[in-house]
Structure formats: structure tokens, C-alpha cells
Amino acid sequence: MSTVLDRPTTTPTKGGGPRPGTPEKKRWGLTIVGTIVALVFLAPYLVMLGGAFKSRQEILRVPPDYLPENPQPGNFLSMWGTPETPLPDNLLSTVVISLGGTALALVAALPAAYYTARHSFRLKLPFMLLVLITQMLQPTVLASGLFREFVELEINDTWLAMILVNAAFNLSFAVWIMHSFFATVPKEIEEAAWLDGCSRGQSLRRIMLPLVWPGIVTAVIFTFIACWNEFAASLILLPTDTNQPLTVALTRFIGQYESAWQYVFAVSIIGILPVVALFALIEKHLVSGLTAGGVK
Amino acid sequence: MASARNTALRRQARRQTTLQALPWLAPALILIGGVVIFPVGYMIYTSFRDLSRFGTDRGWAGFENYARVFGLNHLSTVLTNTIIWTVGVVVMTVLVSLVLAQFLNKRFPGRKILRMVIIVPWAASVVMTSTVFVYGLDPFYGIINKFLVDVGILDEPYGFLKNATSGFYSAAAVAVFVSVPFTTFVVLAGLQTVPHDVLEAASIDGAGRFQTYWQVVFPMLRPALAVAAIINIINVFNSLPILKTMTGAIPGYDADTTTTLMFKIIQNDRQIDTASALSVVNFVVIIVVIGIYLRVVRPMREVSA
């Protein structure tokens, strides 16, 4: 008995990547490679962070320094009152458009996702196909049509226009991801709740909601980030500087002759940090939602 | 007679289920109808109208707008650029992502942190990421230029974004950089569908590492690669912010794709009618790619009717 146990384990562990049997040394070697890869992916954002703390003179110095010599955290305060762009308005635009777009997308997507996951009807496949095709379209290619439509409706250059655009083009992701979560909840659970005297609304709130919550959170966060980062449609549909979101306003700091790079980077830092934090929360659900189940 | 009545009843029941579905789908349908389908139609309509610079409709234009698009002197350059841009960026993105996903599929300390780091360019605004490169590649105060000189790759700083050719390829490199994270995660999801016992069987049969990869793993990655490639083709073809920020200041059209050209026609020339004609052409290209996607990937196979 003990002889069997004492025998050194020499089963080949090729193929599926290092398993517990792999020597520690090799795994730490991978960590070193991983650190280099991480630095490559972070490099632009480190340049951004350093630049946000440089003074105007220092960021235009020839040759440049890698790190700020005399860090200027004051850039994060003074950027709100520069002549280039009304930054407080731009932040407000980004926040209002993102919240409005997300709310509208959710209100439209939630009932559709629930119903298509629970019931079969003749037009279900055509509907899901329509949703899928919308997911692959982008406002970029429809910019001139959207512009003409909103001019006719007299809502061009308003937050409402961008709320509608963002909600419509992100609706499909929200429908897909929530549909897939609703579909995993067995019908029997819901029916059991009805038998126990729950109303349809009660069973939705008490039984379904907790089970599909991760799907709703993923839909909300992803839509919010997509609205937050939107650029092409805002560029065409929002000509007035006070209506423009951060992504469009940012380009105003870059002039043909003089650029306020320290502000470009300070604005970018506050534009990027919140969405990266949110994105990390939903990363594991994204692939299945974005590929509509094309990859399992 | 009985069967005829049955059919009628069944048809009525069917119509009822569709009617019952309607309130649940209505908000989504109204949004898609009003903000996606209607603008497509309006864009096609506009492409056959004659609009003034201030948007006044001066009547039917026939194919004049299309003739103007196809008569542009720089059109052949722009079309060539569009093909190089789309194919080049997508091929490079897929190659880098295949290697990176293979790496992330291994177990090592810090793997989770690396996954989080790779997310950053995916989550971050593409305009914001591109502006760092506009600054970094400046020949005078650019940090990337300084780094390339310091490590000995360049003898002296180079004005990457001062001419159309090098500006275009620099922008393409940035496009690869921002497309790699999504693609890597899709490939990684594909790698996780490769069963362990298949890999073990291959190694027992004496297959080497490369042989295992090419003959066992790679064929199983095909669905993931098809999805990643097609979604990337659409995104890269539609991409505006990278070229707009990096080469937008270069005069002329030597660094333009059909998408950036369309935006220049809207913003600089204020010709919404001509821009619509070009958009319709772009739209047809995208619809063809979507058609290929639906045929090849069949993404909806899990949706039961």
C-alpha cells in the first residue's frame, strides 16, 4: 500500500498548461513575461498619468522628461476653468447622456429580454435577428441619416438626441445578455411561485430578479460605458460646445499651434478611471454577450 | 370541415400570441424603428436629394451624389487605404491575440492581475487613448519618440504623424492595440472549450506541442476566431476616432478611409447629400459582412423558436 503511495508521480502533464506539478521556477518565469506584457498595455495610460501632473512649460519641453519634475496636482482643479472648453458642462453632458441612455436602453430591453426567454411566438426569431443586426451596426455609418432626422424633429444639438442614439445602439447587447440570463432560470421555479400564490409581479421581483441580477448589472454597466465613451455621433449631432461630452471636448485642448496636453491628460484620467473600475466588474460576462452566444 | 376549423383556430391562437408579445417588445421595437431603421431609410432618401450647405432640400438629384462620390480624385487612394486598414488591422489583431490568449490560458502567479490590466485599453475611451499617441509621437516633446531614441531603435526623433504614410501606419498600430483586448478574451473563451482529455490523448499519441496546437487546438478555435474576426472587421471599418485624432490634421486625403472621408464631407464640406451617398455604400459593405457573419457563425443557434 505505502509503496504505491510513495512512488514519485511522473504522469506526463503536457498540453493543458502548467498544472500543480509544474516547477515553481517556470511559473515565476511566466510572471516575468506577464509583467512585461502588462507594462506594454499600461504604457499609454502611465504616460497619461505622468502628463496630467506636468506643468504647461514642462510638458512642451524639448527633449521631454519621463516623469514630472515638479508634480502639479493643481491641473485637476484649473482644468475646469480654461478658455478652450466649458469642462463642467462637458462632464455634465457626459453624465446626463450616459445615465439617460442607460436608463432608456434598460427600460426597452428588460421586457423584451424576459418575454423572448419565456415565451415562443411566431415572430421571435425575426425579432432576435433584428436585435442582432442592430448590435453590429454603429451610429458612425448612419451619422448623416441621424443628423437629418434630428434636424427635422428639431432635437438636433440636444442631450435627448444622444440619449436616443446611445439607447438604440446599445439596446441589443442589453437584450442579448439579459435574455441569456432569463433563459437559464427554469420555468418550473416561476410556476412553483405562482402555485404558492405569488402574483406574476411578485414572482418576477422575488424569484426572477435575484437570479438574473448579474445579467442586469452587466447590461447596465456595459451600456453606461459605451455611452460614456461615444464619440462619432456626438461629433456630428452636438455642435454647441456646452452640449458636448468629454470625448469631443477633449479634442478642443489640442490646437494647431498650441496644445494644453496637461489638461488633455487630466481630463482623460478622470474620464477613464471610473469606467475601467466598472468594466472590471463585468468582464466575465462580456464575451458571451458581445458574441451573442457565438462562442461558449 | 373540422380540420379547416382547427387550422382557423390555430391561426387565431398564433395571431394572439404575437399580439400578446407586442406590449413586451414594443419599447425595443419603437427605439430600433425610430433610431436605427428610420435613419437608414432617410439616409438612402437623402442620397438621392440635392441639399444646400444649410440643409435646404432642392429636390431630386438622381444618382448625382453617387456620381460625385465615385468621381472624387482621391477615391482610389481612400479605397486602397480602407482595405489595408481593415484587413491589416484585423489580421494583426488576431495574430497578437492568438499568442496572448495562449499565454493567459497558462497558470502563473499574477495571471488575474494581467487579465485586469489588459482590460484597460478596451474600457478606456478610444479618443483618449489615441491622444496619448498624438502627444507621444511628436518629434519635439513626444515621450515615445524619446524612448525609441533612448533604447536605440531610432537615431533621432521622427515626426510619425507629420506625413500621411507614417501617420496612417501609426494609427493602424494604435487600432491593433485597442482591438487586441476584446479579441484576446474571445479567443480565451474559445480555448476554454478545448477539453482536457483531447489534449491528453494528443500527448499520449506522441504529438509535439506545435503539432497539438495546429492539429487539435487551432481547429477547435475556429468558431471563436470567426466571431472575433467579423466583429473586428465591422468595428475597424467603422473606426473614426483614431484616424481623426492622429492624422486628421494632415492636409489631403492620403490617410483617409471611407469612414473618415465621410466625416470630412459632413464636417468640412457640409455636403450631407454626398456624405449620405458614401454612407449608403459603407452601409452596404457592413450589411454584406453581417450576412457573412450570420451564415458562417450562426450566432443564434441557441435561441429556440
Side-chain angles (χ1 to χ4, degrees):
Chain A
M1 201 53 198
S2 71
T3 48
V4 176
L5 279 176
D6 288 342
R7 201 190 294 161
T9 45
T10 50
T11 8
T13 51
K14 256 189 205 166
R19 279 181 240 160
T22 318
E24 277 290 299
K25 224 192 218 163
K26 193 177 167 195
R27 293 169 62 193
W28 283 106
L30 291 173
T31 304
I32 294 169
V33 179
T35 311
I36 296 167
V37 174
L39 277 176
V40 170
F41 278 89
L42 279 182
Y45 308 97
L46 295 175
V47 170
M48 199 181 265
L49 190 63
F53 284 95
K54 284 183 181 175
S55 69
R56 191 184 185 89
Q57 291 79 21
E58 194 187 0
I59 204 157
L60 295 175
R61 189 178 291 165
V62 184
D65 310 315
Y66 286 115
L67 293 173
E69 198 171 52
N70 189 3
Q72 307 278 320
N75 287 341
F76 285 91
L77 295 176
S78 53
M79 67 183 183
W80 299 102
T82 61
E84 283 95 343
T85 184
L87 201 59
D89 294 319
N90 302 135
L91 179 64
L92 184 66
S93 284
T94 295
V95 171
V96 171
I97 292 170
S98 304
L99 289 176
T102 308
L104 184 57
L106 190 69
V107 166
L110 198 53
Y114 171 75
Y115 201 83
T116 50
R118 269 289 167 266
H119 300 270
S120 50
F121 50 98
R122 203 149 47 131
L123 294 178
K124 181 169 158 182
L125 267 179
F127 175 76
M128 294 310 270
L129 191 66
L130 179 70
V131 167
L132 182 70
I133 292 173
T134 339
Q135 181 168 3
M136 312 210 68
L137 288 176
Q138 290 179 4
T140 317
V141 68
L142 300 183
S144 65
L146 289 165
F147 173 75
R148 288 272 288 156
E149 179 184 5
F150 292 138
V151 167
E152 289 296 314
L153 293 174
E154 294 182 2
I155 56 167
N156 195 43
D157 204 11
T158 64
W159 288 338
L160 177 63
M162 280 313 300
I163 289 173
L164 289 171
V165 169
N166 278 314
F169 284 91
N170 291 300
L171 176 75
S172 40
F173 175 83
V175 171
W176 271 112
I177 192 86
M178 292 192 294
H179 169 98
S180 65
F181 272 86
F182 277 121
T184 56
V185 181
K187 234 178 185 161
E188 290 75 23
I189 292 186
E190 218 182 351
E191 280 163 2
W194 296 343
L195 283 179
D196 288 346
C198 275
S199 70
R200 188 154 190 159
Q202 272 178 323
S203 83
L204 266 181
R205 209 170 35 210
R206 296 208 190 141
I207 313 293
M208 291 297 267
L209 203 58
L211 289 170
V212 297
W213 190 243
I216 297 176
V217 171
T218 306
V220 165
I221 293 181
F222 186 82
T223 309
F224 183 82
I225 294 174
C227 299
W228 186 275
N229 288 339
E230 206 288 327
F231 175 71
S234 310
L235 195 66
I236 300 295
L237 300 177
L238 298 175
T240 308
D241 58 356
T242 48
N243 286 340
Q244 288 170 345
L246 292 175
T247 48
V248 177
L250 187 76
T251 54
R252 293 176 174 278
F253 286 114
I254 308 167
Q256 202 170 354
Y257 305 104
E258 276 254 300
S259 296
W261 290 110
Q262 74 284 13
Y263 292 143
V264 172
F265 297 145
V267 173
S268 298
I269 292 293
I270 61 153
I272 286 176
L273 274 183
V275 292
V276 168
L278 287 172
F279 207 90
L281 296 175
I282 56 163
E283 169 251 313
K284 59 173 183 259
H285 300 303
L286 281 177
V287 168
S288 72
L290 285 171
T291 60
V295 185
K296 260 301 233 177
Chain B
M1 233 199 49
S3 77
R5 220 170 83 200
N6 266 346
T7 329
L9 273 176
R10 211 175 298 143
R11 198 173 298 150
Q12 196 186 345
R14 261 209 204 143
R15 202 175 305 142
Q16 255 175 2
T17 57
T18 305
L19 278 180
Q20 277 168 351
L22 206 57
W24 297 82
L25 308 184
L29 286 172
I30 293 170
L31 205 50
I32 293 177
V35 191
V36 183
I37 296 174
F38 182 78
V40 171
Y42 207 20
M43 186 173 83
I44 297 171
Y45 171 78
T46 305
S47 73
F48 291 105
R49 306 296 293 181
D50 176 20
L51 293 192
S52 77
R53 283 168 54 94
F54 304 102
T56 324
D57 194 328
R58 294 184 293 207
W60 175 252
F63 283 91
E64 247 172 64
N65 295 316
Y66 290 91
R68 204 172 305 133
V69 168
F70 288 106
L72 291 172
N73 283 332
H74 40 266
L75 188 72
S76 62
T77 315
V78 172
L79 288 179
T80 316
N81 283 348
T82 309
I83 294 168
I84 297 175
W85 172 260
T86 311
V87 175
V89 170
V90 173
V91 167
M92 283 306 294
T93 300
V94 168
L95 289 179
V96 173
S97 302
L98 277 174
V99 176
L100 192 57
Q102 200 64 30
F103 180 68
L104 277 173
N105 203 31
K106 294 184 185 301
R107 249 177 248 173
F108 57 89
R111 181 177 71 149
K112 282 210 171 121
I113 300 172
L114 182 59
R115 275 179 77 118
M116 288 295 139
V117 166
I118 289 176
I119 280 177
V120 177
W122 185 4
S125 147
V126 178
V127 197
M128 294 177 180
T129 304
S130 311
T131 53
V132 176
F133 289 94
V134 178
Y135 159 78
L137 293 174
D138 186 274
F140 303 109
Y141 51 72
I143 273 189
I144 301 173
N145 252 319
K146 178 185 161 78
F147 177 77
L148 293 177
V149 172
D150 284 354
V151 297
I153 294 174
L154 288 182
D155 288 331
E156 53 182 41
Y158 179 71
F160 288 93
L161 307 182
K162 299 295 174 197
N163 70 77
T165 309
S166 64
F168 183 74
Y169 288 105
S170 307
V174 174
V176 172
F177 178 78
V178 299
S179 308
V180 159
F182 162 72
T183 317
T184 301
F185 277 74
V186 174
V187 176
L188 200 53
L191 278 176
Q192 271 145 17
T193 62
V194 180
H196 255 291
D197 40 344
V198 173
L199 294 173
E200 250 154 54
S203 85
I204 288 166
D205 288 348
R209 275 175 151 226
F210 278 96
Q211 226 180 338
T212 311
Y213 187 78
W214 283 115
Q215 292 178 1
V216 181
V217 179
F218 192 74
M220 295 182 99
L221 280 182
R222 248 187 246 153
L225 283 179
V227 173
I230 293 171
I231 292 180
N232 272 313
I233 287 172
I234 292 181
N235 287 339
V236 173
F237 177 78
N238 268 324
S239 170
L240 173 79
I242 303 172
L243 283 168
K244 166 103 186 151
T245 47
M246 293 182 71
T247 65
I250 299 171
Y253 301 91
D254 290 340
D256 276 309
T257 64
T258 51
T259 298
T260 62
L261 174 64
M262 186 253 288
F263 272 74
K264 277 187 178 174
I265 297 174
I266 297 181
Q267 292 204 295
N268 304 352
D269 311 330
R270 306 211 58 80
Q271 290 178 348
I272 305 291
D273 47 4
T274 316
S276 295
L278 181 53
S279 300
V280 171
V281 176
N282 284 346
F283 182 73
V284 170
V285 172
I286 290 170
I287 290 295
V288 169
V289 178
I290 293 177
I292 297 172
Y293 176 67
L294 295 176
R295 290 296 299 262
V296 175
V297 182
R298 290 192 292 131
M300 304 211 305
R301 61 195 153 205
E302 275 169 54
V303 179
S304 52

